[in-house]
Amino acid sequence: MPKEQTIISTFPSMTKAEAAKTSLANAGLTDSSIKRSSRFGVSTDDELDSAISSAETLTGLTLFSANTSKESKAAERVLMGADPSVSGFSMSGNPLAGGHAFTLVVFAPPNRVDEAVTIIKQNGGEV
């Protein structure tokens, strides 16, 4: 199996990360994944994190926390509500790796790393 290099980049929004992933796939670099980073252990769930289903929570729209149990994790929910991203004051500079909440990880052959980095940067990512 040929060796590949790992490229880790961060994005300020899921939309930009997905656009970069699509552009990479169009260039033939399909081994990639997007993750939502949080200090509070939340996860992305397309069904639960839609505007309609998560509007009932303060953090559902910003931290993708609609699937957090209301009963068992009350303290965690309070901490999530205190996150700067909930107020909208912190689009970047969060105390997360890369300063952004979305991470795109791409695996590329060594001879295509520069191309992948260029595509990521063209779509608003930081490597």
Side-chain angles (χ1 to χ4, degrees), residues 11-98:
F11 289 83
S13 71
M14 178 64 89
T15 305
K16 288 185 178 188
E18 287 175 343
K21 183 176 178 175
T22 299
S23 295
L24 288 163
N26 290 340
L29 298 167
T30 58
D31 193 359
S32 62
S33 65
I34 299 171
K35 299 293 181 194
R36 170 73 159 97
S37 303
S38 170
R39 295 177 288 162
F40 306 110
V42 296
S43 60
T44 301
D45 184 314
D46 290 337
E47 183 178 329
L48 294 173
D49 296 329
S50 70
I52 295 171
S53 67
S54 58
E56 69 181 58
T57 68
L58 177 65
T59 60
L61 297 172
T62 54
L63 293 179
F64 301 95
S65 65
N67 57 350
T68 303
S69 169
K70 293 177 185 173
E71 292 80 27
S72 66
K73 298 193 178 189
E76 182 178 312
R77 294 177 69 79
V78 170
L79 289 172
M80 286 190 290
D83 191 271
S85 64
V86 174
S87 66
F89 287 116
S90 179
M91 288 300 291
S92 64
N94 286 328
L96 301 169

